[in-house]
């Protein structure tokens, strides 16, 4: 499936590095999301963009910085991460209506991040 | 209290058998629900949406009990390929809350 793509699929970075994760959706959706999934834990919502506007930031540390240049692309810029930030980072997209409701979310394959 | 709670399992199921498990949610304002399946080291994939009292899709049946605030998933005639972690999700105005998942292992 190529509905939602993410690059890179794997990333190893040092604590002083700066890197970016990229997500692209080909489904014509207008909402995009970043999630973090750590081992044996529920998915944690990080950021939500509806109609390219950030509508949610779930108390995420500033070392994670999202960017949504258009409704099809979403980035997560990373800098000075900590080892506990190692996780699977998943991007998702959905169709959202103007009232704030949304429909099913479709996920990309994720970026498995290891911080050394 | 977690917003969405699931029995982590694993549920060990002989091939061909039926397995059912529940998910409880705490937000009574939740409007819709989803079941996703997630294979090891892969992304969640949508299995089923539940907007009213339930939904059925082939061997999979989801039932929603709003009074008791739980959703169930039943898998009939289990296949080896059904082995996965099943994630329960509640949706309240676009805010999804995920459970930690229930692991199902189908054995030959």
């Amino acid at each position: 499936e190529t509905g939602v793509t993410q690059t890179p699929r794997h990333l190893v970075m040092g604590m002083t590095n700066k890197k970016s994760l990229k997500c692209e959706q080909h489904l014509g959706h207008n909402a995009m999301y970043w999630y973090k999934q750590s081992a044996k834990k529920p998915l944690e919502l990080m950021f939500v963009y509806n109609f390219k506007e950030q509508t949610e930031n779930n108390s995420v540390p500033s070392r994670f910085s999202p960017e949504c240049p258009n409704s099809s692309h979403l980035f997560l810029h990373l800098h000075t991460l900590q080892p506990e930030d190692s996780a699977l980072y998943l991007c998702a997209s959905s169709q959202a209506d103007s009232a704030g409701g949304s429909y099913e979310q479709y996920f990309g394959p994720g970026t498995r991040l290891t911080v050394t | 209290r977690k917003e969405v709670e699931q029995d982590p399992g694993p549920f060990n199921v002989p091939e061909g058998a039926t397995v059912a498990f529940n998910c409880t949610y705490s937000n009574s304002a939740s409007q819709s629900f989803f079941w996703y399946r997630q294979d090891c080291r892969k992304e969640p994939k949508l299995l089923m949406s539940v907007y009213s009292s339930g939904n059925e899709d082939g061997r999979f049946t989801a039932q929603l009990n709003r009074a008791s605030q739980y959703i169930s998933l039943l898998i009939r005639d289990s296949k080896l390929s059904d082995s996965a972690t099943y994630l329960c999700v509640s949706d309240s105005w676009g805010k999804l809350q995920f459970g930690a998942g229930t692991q199902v292992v189908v054995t030959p």
Side-chain angles (χ1 to χ4, degrees):
Chain A
E1 291 185 16
T2 57
V4 182
T5 57
Q6 288 186 244
T7 55
R9 295 292 305 275
H10 300 271
L11 178 62
V12 179
M13 60 186 287
M15 292 167 62
T16 58
N17 291 158
K18 288 185 181 182
K19 296 285 183 185
S20 295
L21 309 185
K22 180 182 174 183
C23 174
E24 185 172 357
Q25 60 96 0
H26 309 272
L27 300 169
H29 290 160
N30 55 18
M32 296 186 77
Y33 311 80
W34 279 117
Y35 288 89
K36 175 184 178 182
Q37 188 175 34
S38 304
K40 304 293 183 186
K41 287 187 177 181
L43 269 73
E44 301 170 47
L45 179 64
M46 300 175 72
F47 300 104
V48 181
Y49 278 84
N50 274 341
F51 301 93
K52 300 186 297 177
E53 299 294 321
Q54 187 180 125
T55 57
E56 188 116 8
N57 173 342
N58 263 7
S59 304
V60 179
S62 60
R63 57 185 184 270
F64 295 91
S65 172
E67 178 190 358
C68 187
N70 55 60
S71 58
S72 299
H73 293 84
L74 186 64
F75 295 90
L76 188 62
H77 303 300
L78 316 171
H79 65 98
T80 58
L81 294 193
Q82 306 296 312
E84 60 265 28
D85 296 323
S86 299
L88 180 67
Y89 288 84
L90 290 158
C91 171
S93 72
S94 73
Q95 191 62 23
D97 60 38
S98 54
S102 70
Y103 302 97
E104 299 90 344
Q105 293 186 11
Y106 294 86
F107 287 84
T111 295
R112 189 159 296 280
L113 173 67
T114 303
V115 181
T116 59
Chain B
R1 185 185 170 187
K2 294 177 187 172
E3 293 252 5
V4 177
E5 297 211 50
Q6 296 184 249
D7 183 336
F11 284 67
N12 294 298
V13 187
E15 193 175 5
T18 296
V19 61
F21 41 90
N22 291 341
C23 158
T24 58
Y25 62 95
S26 60
N27 185 355
S28 58
S30 296
Q31 302 139 314
S32 51
F33 303 86
F34 307 98
W35 282 105
Y36 283 79
R37 69 168 281 166
Q38 186 171 26
D39 294 291
C40 189
R41 303 181 74 82
K42 296 282 184 72
E43 75 274 21
K45 290 190 188 294
L46 181 67
L47 179 68
M48 184 173 280
S49 307
V50 185
Y51 295 109
S52 56
S53 61
N55 195 2
E56 184 172 331
D57 184 1
R59 299 182 292 108
F60 297 85
T61 301
Q63 290 197 309
L64 170 62
N65 185 317
R66 287 194 185 273
S68 301
Q69 294 189 199
Y70 74 85
I71 316 107
S72 63
L73 182 66
L74 182 146
I75 307 174
R76 282 183 296 275
D77 187 24
S78 299
K79 312 290 184 194
L80 296 176
S81 57
D82 294 333
S83 296
T85 297
Y86 290 84
L87 307 179
C88 172
V89 186
S90 72
D91 179 8
S92 178
W93 291 106
K95 195 164 189 173
L96 297 196
Q97 296 287 345
F98 283 78
T102 294
Q103 187 184 7
V104 172
V105 179
V106 182
T107 54

PDB file of all heavy atoms in Angstrom, chain A residues 35 37 42-43 56 90 99-102 104-109 112, chain B residues 34 36 38 41 43-44 46 49 51 91 93-96 98-100:
ATOM      1  N   TYR A  35       2.346  10.248  15.769  1.00  0.00           N
ATOM      2  CA  TYR A  35       2.222   9.438  16.965  1.00  0.00           C
ATOM      3  C   TYR A  35       3.585   8.872  17.330  1.00  0.00           C
ATOM      4  O   TYR A  35       4.422   8.625  16.475  1.00  0.00           O
ATOM      5  CB  TYR A  35       1.294   8.238  16.724  1.00  0.00           C
ATOM      6  CG  TYR A  35      -0.171   8.554  16.598  1.00  0.00           C
ATOM      7  CD1 TYR A  35      -0.737   8.853  15.363  1.00  0.00           C
ATOM      8  CD2 TYR A  35      -1.009   8.512  17.712  1.00  0.00           C
ATOM      9  CE1 TYR A  35      -2.092   9.115  15.246  1.00  0.00           C
ATOM     10  CE2 TYR A  35      -2.358   8.767  17.598  1.00  0.00           C
ATOM     11  CZ  TYR A  35      -2.896   9.065  16.369  1.00  0.00           C
ATOM     12  OH  TYR A  35      -4.243   9.314  16.246  1.00  0.00           O
ATOM     13  N   GLN A  37       5.115   5.474  19.325  1.00  0.00           N
ATOM     14  CA  GLN A  37       4.777   4.182  19.906  1.00  0.00           C
ATOM     15  C   GLN A  37       6.019   3.572  20.533  1.00  0.00           C
ATOM     16  O   GLN A  37       6.956   3.190  19.824  1.00  0.00           O
ATOM     17  CB  GLN A  37       4.183   3.225  18.867  1.00  0.00           C
ATOM     18  CG  GLN A  37       3.639   1.946  19.508  1.00  0.00           C
ATOM     19  CD  GLN A  37       2.932   1.049  18.518  1.00  0.00           C
ATOM     20  OE1 GLN A  37       3.300   0.968  17.353  1.00  0.00           O
ATOM     21  NE2 GLN A  37       1.877   0.373  18.977  1.00  0.00           N
ATOM     22  N   PRO A  42       0.510   2.188  24.676  1.00  0.00           N
ATOM     23  CA  PRO A  42      -0.421   2.650  23.641  1.00  0.00           C
ATOM     24  C   PRO A  42       0.228   3.725  22.777  1.00  0.00           C
ATOM     25  O   PRO A  42       1.170   4.384  23.217  1.00  0.00           O
ATOM     26  CB  PRO A  42      -1.576   3.254  24.442  1.00  0.00           C
ATOM     27  CG  PRO A  42      -1.403   2.794  25.826  1.00  0.00           C
ATOM     28  CD  PRO A  42       0.035   2.516  26.029  1.00  0.00           C
ATOM     29  N   LEU A  43      -0.303   3.874  21.592  1.00  0.00           N
ATOM     30  CA  LEU A  43       0.139   4.983  20.754  1.00  0.00           C
ATOM     31  C   LEU A  43      -0.114   6.300  21.478  1.00  0.00           C
ATOM     32  O   LEU A  43      -1.171   6.513  22.062  1.00  0.00           O
ATOM     33  CB  LEU A  43      -0.641   5.009  19.439  1.00  0.00           C
ATOM     34  CG  LEU A  43      -0.056   4.233  18.278  1.00  0.00           C
ATOM     35  CD1 LEU A  43      -0.220   2.748  18.487  1.00  0.00           C
ATOM     36  CD2 LEU A  43      -0.706   4.659  16.974  1.00  0.00           C
ATOM     37  N   GLU A  56      -3.392  20.546  17.682  1.00  0.00           N
ATOM     38  CA  GLU A  56      -3.112  19.824  18.915  1.00  0.00           C
ATOM     39  C   GLU A  56      -1.620  19.644  19.082  1.00  0.00           C
ATOM     40  O   GLU A  56      -0.896  19.333  18.137  1.00  0.00           O
ATOM     41  CB  GLU A  56      -3.779  18.435  18.863  1.00  0.00           C
ATOM     42  CG  GLU A  56      -3.725  17.673  20.153  1.00  0.00           C
ATOM     43  CD  GLU A  56      -5.094  17.418  20.740  1.00  0.00           C
ATOM     44  OE1 GLU A  56      -6.102  17.700  20.077  1.00  0.00           O
ATOM     45  OE2 GLU A  56      -5.153  16.933  21.875  1.00  0.00           O
ATOM     46  N   LEU A  90       4.980   7.151  14.063  1.00  0.00           N
ATOM     47  CA  LEU A  90       3.987   6.853  13.049  1.00  0.00           C
ATOM     48  C   LEU A  90       3.279   8.127  12.614  1.00  0.00           C
ATOM     49  O   LEU A  90       2.897   8.956  13.441  1.00  0.00           O
ATOM     50  CB  LEU A  90       2.940   5.876  13.594  1.00  0.00           C
ATOM     51  CG  LEU A  90       3.433   4.452  13.841  1.00  0.00           C
ATOM     52  CD1 LEU A  90       2.539   3.738  14.836  1.00  0.00           C
ATOM     53  CD2 LEU A  90       3.492   3.684  12.535  1.00  0.00           C
ATOM     54  N   ALA A  99     -16.370  20.687  11.645  1.00  0.00           N
ATOM     55  CA  ALA A  99     -16.862  20.702  13.026  1.00  0.00           C
ATOM     56  C   ALA A  99     -15.866  20.080  13.993  1.00  0.00           C
ATOM     57  O   ALA A  99     -16.089  20.064  15.192  1.00  0.00           O
ATOM     58  CB  ALA A  99     -18.190  19.965  13.104  1.00  0.00           C
ATOM     59  N   GLY A 100     -14.785  19.529  13.443  1.00  0.00           N
ATOM     60  CA  GLY A 100     -13.771  18.928  14.312  1.00  0.00           C
ATOM     61  C   GLY A 100     -13.831  17.432  14.386  1.00  0.00           C
ATOM     62  O   GLY A 100     -12.989  16.793  15.004  1.00  0.00           O
ATOM     63  N   GLY A 101     -14.848  16.845  13.765  1.00  0.00           N
ATOM     64  CA  GLY A 101     -14.912  15.390  13.756  1.00  0.00           C
ATOM     65  C   GLY A 101     -14.010  14.824  12.676  1.00  0.00           C
ATOM     66  O   GLY A 101     -13.665  15.506  11.723  1.00  0.00           O
ATOM     67  N   SER A 102     -13.616  13.612  12.850  1.00  0.00           N
ATOM     68  CA  SER A 102     -12.770  12.991  11.825  1.00  0.00           C
ATOM     69  C   SER A 102     -13.184  11.544  11.640  1.00  0.00           C
ATOM     70  O   SER A 102     -13.918  10.985  12.446  1.00  0.00           O
ATOM     71  CB  SER A 102     -11.290  13.070  12.208  1.00  0.00           C
ATOM     72  OG  SER A 102     -11.019  12.221  13.298  1.00  0.00           O
ATOM     73  N   GLU A 104     -11.840   7.563   9.879  1.00  0.00           N
ATOM     74  CA  GLU A 104     -10.769   6.606  10.158  1.00  0.00           C
ATOM     75  C   GLU A 104      -9.403   7.184   9.796  1.00  0.00           C
ATOM     76  O   GLU A 104      -9.253   7.898   8.813  1.00  0.00           O
ATOM     77  CB  GLU A 104     -10.981   5.320   9.342  1.00  0.00           C
ATOM     78  CG  GLU A 104     -12.267   4.580   9.627  1.00  0.00           C
ATOM     79  CD  GLU A 104     -13.418   5.024   8.738  1.00  0.00           C
ATOM     80  OE1 GLU A 104     -13.306   6.093   8.111  1.00  0.00           O
ATOM     81  OE2 GLU A 104     -14.413   4.299   8.680  1.00  0.00           O
ATOM     82  N   GLN A 105      -8.418   6.832  10.590  1.00  0.00           N
ATOM     83  CA  GLN A 105      -7.049   7.246  10.306  1.00  0.00           C
ATOM     84  C   GLN A 105      -6.301   6.106   9.637  1.00  0.00           C
ATOM     85  O   GLN A 105      -6.471   4.939   9.988  1.00  0.00           O
ATOM     86  CB  GLN A 105      -6.337   7.652  11.593  1.00  0.00           C
ATOM     87  CG  GLN A 105      -6.921   8.909  12.221  1.00  0.00           C
ATOM     88  CD  GLN A 105      -6.129   9.402  13.403  1.00  0.00           C
ATOM     89  OE1 GLN A 105      -5.017   8.961  13.680  1.00  0.00           O
ATOM     90  NE2 GLN A 105      -6.700  10.348  14.126  1.00  0.00           N
ATOM     91  N   TYR A 106      -5.475   6.493   8.685  1.00  0.00           N
ATOM     92  CA  TYR A 106      -4.649   5.522   7.974  1.00  0.00           C
ATOM     93  C   TYR A 106      -3.196   5.843   8.269  1.00  0.00           C
ATOM     94  O   TYR A 106      -2.764   6.998   8.166  1.00  0.00           O
ATOM     95  CB  TYR A 106      -4.944   5.572   6.476  1.00  0.00           C
ATOM     96  CG  TYR A 106      -6.345   5.107   6.165  1.00  0.00           C
ATOM     97  CD1 TYR A 106      -7.420   5.986   6.211  1.00  0.00           C
ATOM     98  CD2 TYR A 106      -6.604   3.770   5.884  1.00  0.00           C
ATOM     99  CE1 TYR A 106      -8.716   5.559   5.982  1.00  0.00           C
ATOM    100  CE2 TYR A 106      -7.899   3.327   5.642  1.00  0.00           C
ATOM    101  CZ  TYR A 106      -8.943   4.224   5.693  1.00  0.00           C
ATOM    102  OH  TYR A 106     -10.226   3.795   5.475  1.00  0.00           O
ATOM    103  N   PHE A 107      -2.461   4.811   8.617  1.00  0.00           N
ATOM    104  CA  PHE A 107      -1.097   4.984   9.097  1.00  0.00           C
ATOM    105  C   PHE A 107      -0.055   4.691   8.029  1.00  0.00           C
ATOM    106  O   PHE A 107      -0.247   3.828   7.174  1.00  0.00           O
ATOM    107  CB  PHE A 107      -0.836   4.049  10.292  1.00  0.00           C
ATOM    108  CG  PHE A 107      -1.518   4.484  11.545  1.00  0.00           C
ATOM    109  CD1 PHE A 107      -2.838   4.156  11.785  1.00  0.00           C
ATOM    110  CD2 PHE A 107      -0.841   5.240  12.493  1.00  0.00           C
ATOM    111  CE1 PHE A 107      -3.479   4.569  12.951  1.00  0.00           C
ATOM    112  CE2 PHE A 107      -1.462   5.657  13.658  1.00  0.00           C
ATOM    113  CZ  PHE A 107      -2.787   5.322  13.876  1.00  0.00           C
ATOM    114  N   GLY A 108       1.045   5.410   8.133  1.00  0.00           N
ATOM    115  CA  GLY A 108       2.234   5.077   7.369  1.00  0.00           C
ATOM    116  C   GLY A 108       2.987   3.949   8.048  1.00  0.00           C
ATOM    117  O   GLY A 108       2.635   3.547   9.165  1.00  0.00           O
ATOM    118  N   PRO A 109       4.047   3.439   7.421  1.00  0.00           N
ATOM    119  CA  PRO A 109       4.789   2.297   7.971  1.00  0.00           C
ATOM    120  C   PRO A 109       5.648   2.656   9.167  1.00  0.00           C
ATOM    121  O   PRO A 109       6.125   1.761   9.869  1.00  0.00           O
ATOM    122  CB  PRO A 109       5.662   1.851   6.803  1.00  0.00           C
ATOM    123  CG  PRO A 109       5.827   3.079   5.968  1.00  0.00           C
ATOM    124  CD  PRO A 109       4.551   3.837   6.101  1.00  0.00           C
ATOM    125  N   ARG A 112      11.468   3.829  12.566  1.00  0.00           N
ATOM    126  CA  ARG A 112      11.983   3.285  13.829  1.00  0.00           C
ATOM    127  C   ARG A 112      13.240   4.073  14.185  1.00  0.00           C
ATOM    128  O   ARG A 112      14.246   3.993  13.496  1.00  0.00           O
ATOM    129  CB  ARG A 112      12.273   1.798  13.696  1.00  0.00           C
ATOM    130  CG  ARG A 112      12.595   1.155  15.046  1.00  0.00           C
ATOM    131  CD  ARG A 112      12.385  -0.342  15.029  1.00  0.00           C
ATOM    132  NE  ARG A 112      10.999  -0.737  14.809  1.00  0.00           N
ATOM    133  CZ  ARG A 112      10.050  -0.756  15.732  1.00  0.00           C
ATOM    134  NH1 ARG A 112      10.332  -0.376  16.969  1.00  0.00           N
ATOM    135  NH2 ARG A 112       8.829  -1.148  15.432  1.00  0.00           N
TER     136      ARG A 112
ATOM    137  N   PHE B  34     -13.001   2.179  16.723  1.00  0.00           N
ATOM    138  CA  PHE B  34     -12.333   1.449  15.656  1.00  0.00           C
ATOM    139  C   PHE B  34     -11.570   0.288  16.257  1.00  0.00           C
ATOM    140  O   PHE B  34     -11.090   0.355  17.391  1.00  0.00           O
ATOM    141  CB  PHE B  34     -11.340   2.353  14.910  1.00  0.00           C
ATOM    142  CG  PHE B  34     -11.948   3.642  14.406  1.00  0.00           C
ATOM    143  CD1 PHE B  34     -11.807   4.815  15.119  1.00  0.00           C
ATOM    144  CD2 PHE B  34     -12.667   3.665  13.229  1.00  0.00           C
ATOM    145  CE1 PHE B  34     -12.369   6.000  14.667  1.00  0.00           C
ATOM    146  CE2 PHE B  34     -13.226   4.844  12.762  1.00  0.00           C
ATOM    147  CZ  PHE B  34     -13.083   6.008  13.487  1.00  0.00           C
ATOM    148  N   TYR B  36      -8.162  -1.752  15.154  1.00  0.00           N
ATOM    149  CA  TYR B  36      -7.025  -1.848  14.259  1.00  0.00           C
ATOM    150  C   TYR B  36      -6.287  -3.135  14.600  1.00  0.00           C
ATOM    151  O   TYR B  36      -6.293  -3.585  15.750  1.00  0.00           O
ATOM    152  CB  TYR B  36      -6.050  -0.679  14.471  1.00  0.00           C
ATOM    153  CG  TYR B  36      -6.471   0.644  13.863  1.00  0.00           C
ATOM    154  CD1 TYR B  36      -7.406   1.456  14.491  1.00  0.00           C
ATOM    155  CD2 TYR B  36      -5.901   1.088  12.679  1.00  0.00           C
ATOM    156  CE1 TYR B  36      -7.775   2.679  13.940  1.00  0.00           C
ATOM    157  CE2 TYR B  36      -6.257   2.316  12.123  1.00  0.00           C
ATOM    158  CZ  TYR B  36      -7.193   3.095  12.762  1.00  0.00           C
ATOM    159  OH  TYR B  36      -7.542   4.311  12.207  1.00  0.00           O
ATOM    160  N   GLN B  38      -2.379  -4.764  14.465  1.00  0.00           N
ATOM    161  CA  GLN B  38      -0.986  -4.372  14.283  1.00  0.00           C
ATOM    162  C   GLN B  38      -0.119  -5.608  14.363  1.00  0.00           C
ATOM    163  O   GLN B  38      -0.125  -6.313  15.380  1.00  0.00           O
ATOM    164  CB  GLN B  38      -0.547  -3.341  15.333  1.00  0.00           C
ATOM    165  CG  GLN B  38       0.857  -2.799  15.080  1.00  0.00           C
ATOM    166  CD  GLN B  38       1.209  -1.626  15.979  1.00  0.00           C
ATOM    167  OE1 GLN B  38       0.680  -1.482  17.074  1.00  0.00           O
ATOM    168  NE2 GLN B  38       2.138  -0.777  15.512  1.00  0.00           N
ATOM    169  N   ARG B  41       6.141  -5.014  14.656  1.00  0.00           N
ATOM    170  CA  ARG B  41       7.036  -4.044  14.010  1.00  0.00           C
ATOM    171  C   ARG B  41       6.433  -3.441  12.731  1.00  0.00           C
ATOM    172  O   ARG B  41       7.154  -2.988  11.852  1.00  0.00           O
ATOM    173  CB  ARG B  41       8.391  -4.677  13.726  1.00  0.00           C
ATOM    174  CG  ARG B  41       9.068  -5.228  14.972  1.00  0.00           C
ATOM    175  CD  ARG B  41      10.424  -5.823  14.674  1.00  0.00           C
ATOM    176  NE  ARG B  41      11.430  -4.797  14.412  1.00  0.00           N
ATOM    177  CZ  ARG B  41      12.074  -4.138  15.359  1.00  0.00           C
ATOM    178  NH1 ARG B  41      11.818  -4.364  16.631  1.00  0.00           N
ATOM    179  NH2 ARG B  41      12.984  -3.225  15.035  1.00  0.00           N
ATOM    180  N   GLU B  43       2.894  -1.030  11.052  1.00  0.00           N
ATOM    181  CA  GLU B  43       1.948  -0.007  11.445  1.00  0.00           C
ATOM    182  C   GLU B  43       0.571  -0.595  11.708  1.00  0.00           C
ATOM    183  O   GLU B  43       0.239  -1.664  11.179  1.00  0.00           O
ATOM    184  CB  GLU B  43       1.858   1.075  10.347  1.00  0.00           C
ATOM    185  CG  GLU B  43       1.083   0.690   9.097  1.00  0.00           C
ATOM    186  CD  GLU B  43       1.935  -0.031   8.079  1.00  0.00           C
ATOM    187  OE1 GLU B  43       2.982  -0.595   8.433  1.00  0.00           O
ATOM    188  OE2 GLU B  43       1.513  -0.015   6.910  1.00  0.00           O
ATOM    189  N   PRO B  44      -0.274   0.098  12.492  1.00  0.00           N
ATOM    190  CA  PRO B  44      -1.656  -0.355  12.672  1.00  0.00           C
ATOM    191  C   PRO B  44      -2.418  -0.259  11.353  1.00  0.00           C
ATOM    192  O   PRO B  44      -2.255   0.698  10.590  1.00  0.00           O
ATOM    193  CB  PRO B  44      -2.224   0.641  13.694  1.00  0.00           C
ATOM    194  CG  PRO B  44      -1.044   1.277  14.339  1.00  0.00           C
ATOM    195  CD  PRO B  44       0.022   1.301  13.295  1.00  0.00           C
ATOM    196  N   LEU B  46      -6.379  -0.486   9.769  1.00  0.00           N
ATOM    197  CA  LEU B  46      -7.781  -0.448  10.152  1.00  0.00           C
ATOM    198  C   LEU B  46      -8.458  -1.779   9.836  1.00  0.00           C
ATOM    199  O   LEU B  46      -8.393  -2.271   8.710  1.00  0.00           O
ATOM    200  CB  LEU B  46      -8.480   0.688   9.404  1.00  0.00           C
ATOM    201  CG  LEU B  46      -9.955   0.871   9.731  1.00  0.00           C
ATOM    202  CD1 LEU B  46     -10.130   1.330  11.182  1.00  0.00           C
ATOM    203  CD2 LEU B  46     -10.593   1.886   8.788  1.00  0.00           C
ATOM    204  N   SER B  49     -14.670  -0.264  11.607  1.00  0.00           N
ATOM    205  CA  SER B  49     -15.199   0.943  12.255  1.00  0.00           C
ATOM    206  C   SER B  49     -16.513   0.590  12.929  1.00  0.00           C
ATOM    207  O   SER B  49     -17.277  -0.231  12.415  1.00  0.00           O
ATOM    208  CB  SER B  49     -15.447   2.037  11.223  1.00  0.00           C
ATOM    209  OG  SER B  49     -14.291   2.267  10.455  1.00  0.00           O
ATOM    210  N   TYR B  51     -19.755   2.603  14.410  1.00  0.00           N
ATOM    211  CA  TYR B  51     -20.423   3.891  14.609  1.00  0.00           C
ATOM    212  C   TYR B  51     -21.721   3.749  15.388  1.00  0.00           C
ATOM    213  O   TYR B  51     -22.181   4.687  16.008  1.00  0.00           O
ATOM    214  CB  TYR B  51     -20.694   4.571  13.265  1.00  0.00           C
ATOM    215  CG  TYR B  51     -19.439   4.966  12.520  1.00  0.00           C
ATOM    216  CD1 TYR B  51     -19.033   4.293  11.370  1.00  0.00           C
ATOM    217  CD2 TYR B  51     -18.645   6.008  12.984  1.00  0.00           C
ATOM    218  CE1 TYR B  51     -17.879   4.660  10.700  1.00  0.00           C
ATOM    219  CE2 TYR B  51     -17.482   6.378  12.318  1.00  0.00           C
ATOM    220  CZ  TYR B  51     -17.119   5.694  11.177  1.00  0.00           C
ATOM    221  OH  TYR B  51     -15.973   6.055  10.508  1.00  0.00           O
ATOM    222  N   ASP B  91     -13.044   7.445  19.623  1.00  0.00           N
ATOM    223  CA  ASP B  91     -12.930   8.728  18.926  1.00  0.00           C
ATOM    224  C   ASP B  91     -13.938   9.710  19.517  1.00  0.00           C
ATOM    225  O   ASP B  91     -15.135   9.461  19.485  1.00  0.00           O
ATOM    226  CB  ASP B  91     -13.208   8.523  17.432  1.00  0.00           C
ATOM    227  CG  ASP B  91     -13.126   9.815  16.639  1.00  0.00           C
ATOM    228  OD1 ASP B  91     -12.717  10.845  17.194  1.00  0.00           O
ATOM    229  OD2 ASP B  91     -13.465   9.789  15.442  1.00  0.00           O
ATOM    230  N   TRP B  93     -14.733  13.470  18.830  1.00  0.00           N
ATOM    231  CA  TRP B  93     -14.526  14.667  18.018  1.00  0.00           C
ATOM    232  C   TRP B  93     -13.106  14.744  17.451  1.00  0.00           C
ATOM    233  O   TRP B  93     -12.438  15.748  17.572  1.00  0.00           O
ATOM    234  CB  TRP B  93     -14.865  15.926  18.795  1.00  0.00           C
ATOM    235  CG  TRP B  93     -16.335  16.022  19.042  1.00  0.00           C
ATOM    236  CD1 TRP B  93     -16.973  15.803  20.218  1.00  0.00           C
ATOM    237  CD2 TRP B  93     -17.349  16.277  18.075  1.00  0.00           C
ATOM    238  NE1 TRP B  93     -18.328  15.931  20.049  1.00  0.00           N
ATOM    239  CE2 TRP B  93     -18.598  16.217  18.744  1.00  0.00           C
ATOM    240  CE3 TRP B  93     -17.344  16.553  16.695  1.00  0.00           C
ATOM    241  CZ2 TRP B  93     -19.800  16.416  18.089  1.00  0.00           C
ATOM    242  CZ3 TRP B  93     -18.559  16.757  16.042  1.00  0.00           C
ATOM    243  CH2 TRP B  93     -19.760  16.692  16.741  1.00  0.00           C
ATOM    244  N   GLY B  94     -12.696  13.654  16.865  1.00  0.00           N
ATOM    245  CA  GLY B  94     -11.408  13.630  16.188  1.00  0.00           C
ATOM    246  C   GLY B  94     -10.235  13.332  17.090  1.00  0.00           C
ATOM    247  O   GLY B  94      -9.110  13.216  16.625  1.00  0.00           O
ATOM    248  N   LYS B  95     -10.479  13.219  18.382  1.00  0.00           N
ATOM    249  CA  LYS B  95      -9.402  12.899  19.310  1.00  0.00           C
ATOM    250  C   LYS B  95      -9.430  11.392  19.565  1.00  0.00           C
ATOM    251  O   LYS B  95     -10.345  10.886  20.224  1.00  0.00           O
ATOM    252  CB  LYS B  95      -9.607  13.660  20.611  1.00  0.00           C
ATOM    253  CG  LYS B  95      -8.383  13.694  21.500  1.00  0.00           C
ATOM    254  CD  LYS B  95      -8.539  14.770  22.564  1.00  0.00           C
ATOM    255  CE  LYS B  95      -7.241  14.963  23.314  1.00  0.00           C
ATOM    256  NZ  LYS B  95      -7.290  16.090  24.231  1.00  0.00           N
ATOM    257  N   LEU B  96      -8.457  10.703  18.998  1.00  0.00           N
ATOM    258  CA  LEU B  96      -8.420   9.253  19.151  1.00  0.00           C
ATOM    259  C   LEU B  96      -7.655   8.872  20.402  1.00  0.00           C
ATOM    260  O   LEU B  96      -6.602   9.434  20.702  1.00  0.00           O
ATOM    261  CB  LEU B  96      -7.737   8.609  17.944  1.00  0.00           C
ATOM    262  CG  LEU B  96      -8.379   8.757  16.575  1.00  0.00           C
ATOM    263  CD1 LEU B  96      -7.783   7.744  15.630  1.00  0.00           C
ATOM    264  CD2 LEU B  96      -9.872   8.628  16.632  1.00  0.00           C
ATOM    265  N   PHE B  98      -6.058   5.428  22.036  1.00  0.00           N
ATOM    266  CA  PHE B  98      -5.720   4.047  21.720  1.00  0.00           C
ATOM    267  C   PHE B  98      -5.559   3.227  22.985  1.00  0.00           C
ATOM    268  O   PHE B  98      -4.975   3.693  23.971  1.00  0.00           O
ATOM    269  CB  PHE B  98      -4.400   3.996  20.943  1.00  0.00           C
ATOM    270  CG  PHE B  98      -4.522   4.389  19.501  1.00  0.00           C
ATOM    271  CD1 PHE B  98      -4.609   5.712  19.133  1.00  0.00           C
ATOM    272  CD2 PHE B  98      -4.537   3.425  18.517  1.00  0.00           C
ATOM    273  CE1 PHE B  98      -4.716   6.077  17.796  1.00  0.00           C
ATOM    274  CE2 PHE B  98      -4.628   3.766  17.174  1.00  0.00           C
ATOM    275  CZ  PHE B  98      -4.722   5.093  16.813  1.00  0.00           C
ATOM    276  N   GLY B  99      -6.023   2.000  22.921  1.00  0.00           N
ATOM    277  CA  GLY B  99      -5.670   1.041  23.953  1.00  0.00           C
ATOM    278  C   GLY B  99      -4.289   0.477  23.658  1.00  0.00           C
ATOM    279  O   GLY B  99      -3.740   0.692  22.573  1.00  0.00           O
ATOM    280  N   ALA B 100      -3.735  -0.215  24.621  1.00  0.00           N
ATOM    281  CA  ALA B 100      -2.390  -0.785  24.457  1.00  0.00           C
ATOM    282  C   ALA B 100      -2.397  -2.058  23.617  1.00  0.00           C
ATOM    283  O   ALA B 100      -1.343  -2.537  23.219  1.00  0.00           O
ATOM    284  CB  ALA B 100      -1.752  -1.044  25.812  1.00  0.00           C
TER     285      ALA B 100
END
